[in-house]
Amino acid sequence: MEEVFSNTFKAIRKRLDERRAEGRRLWQQRLGTASEFCRAVVSNGYLSEEQMQRAAQRYRLGASRDGGVIFWQIDEFDQLRDGKIMHYRPDCHRDHGRKPTWTAYLLRKHGQLPKDWNTDHCLFGLHLLSTTDFTDGTDALTTNCTNYTNLAAQPENNLLNPFNLWSNKTIAVVEAEKTAVIMSEVKPEYIWLATGGKTELNVAKLRPLEGHRIILFPDTDEDGRTYRDWYDIAEAASDVFGHPVTVSSILEQRATPAQKAAKIDLVDLLFPEP
């Protein structure tokens, strides 16, 4: 029985290694800052060229042939799940005339991806949990959030999530990939992840973050609905994880009525348009 288990484990490990290598080949082929998005981030003064280079390397940003940015979704085990191709205008706002496209769909369409490829979407930037040396860091952004002391991770939990060992550094979850990329340089003391949409947040996607300090930064709106929705999800996740998942009210408190009507996010708050 022990030999059967050992052989099965080796086969699974081999397949995972093959998938990681295959995924790495895919994102490395498109790695770069030649996208409209990267150029717009720099030209609009959000980041310097040096900062943009670092952020692009951190999130493994890619560029499509027609200038779109590829926001790769790579999980906490460094396995590629999918990639979202998005187009941005010169003012660094999304080009809503061009809908986002998923790389897995395009690759399957051309027979370049196995049919059993796992395309379950995860948080953008989740691979940082496996590549980051976590250190503690807090600042004014946590003022409106509940602080807590992390519970000691149990050995069996570490087998399921080995990254619980690095639970000093706060993980910040925002809606837009753009926000995560920019904020990673503006507030590098946090690990910035993105859901990719206000309705893309759920407890299952937060599960890999269990054991870490987690703060959610929802976009704002006129009636505060997004804040309430994310707050409910945070409460549910807190019950499952056994430790608090907090929600920042910084936008609800500081955004003007006009900004709320425009549904701004953290980047809009820190870089207001003239």
Side-chain angles (χ1 to χ4, degrees), residues 8-25 74-81 116-118 159:
T8 302
F9 179 81
K10 287 179 181 178
I12 294 173
R13 180 63 181 270
K14 180 180 179 182
R15 185 56 178 153
L16 288 175
D17 288 343
E18 289 173 350
R19 282 297 172 87
R20 274 194 288 267
E22 195 170 359
R24 191 176 300 112
R25 177 184 60 80
I74 304 171
D75 67 21
E76 72 275 27
F77 299 107
D78 208 38
Q79 293 190 79
L80 177 66
R81 298 286 190 89
D116 63 344
W117 186 273
N118 180 10
L159 290 175

Side-chain angles (χ1 to χ4, degrees), residues 58-74:
R58 178 179 301 118
Y59 290 99
R60 303 174 183 176
L61 300 184
S64 64
R65 290 188 178 91
D66 59 354
V69 61
I70 306 177
F71 294 120
W72 294 111
Q73 290 192 359
I74 304 171

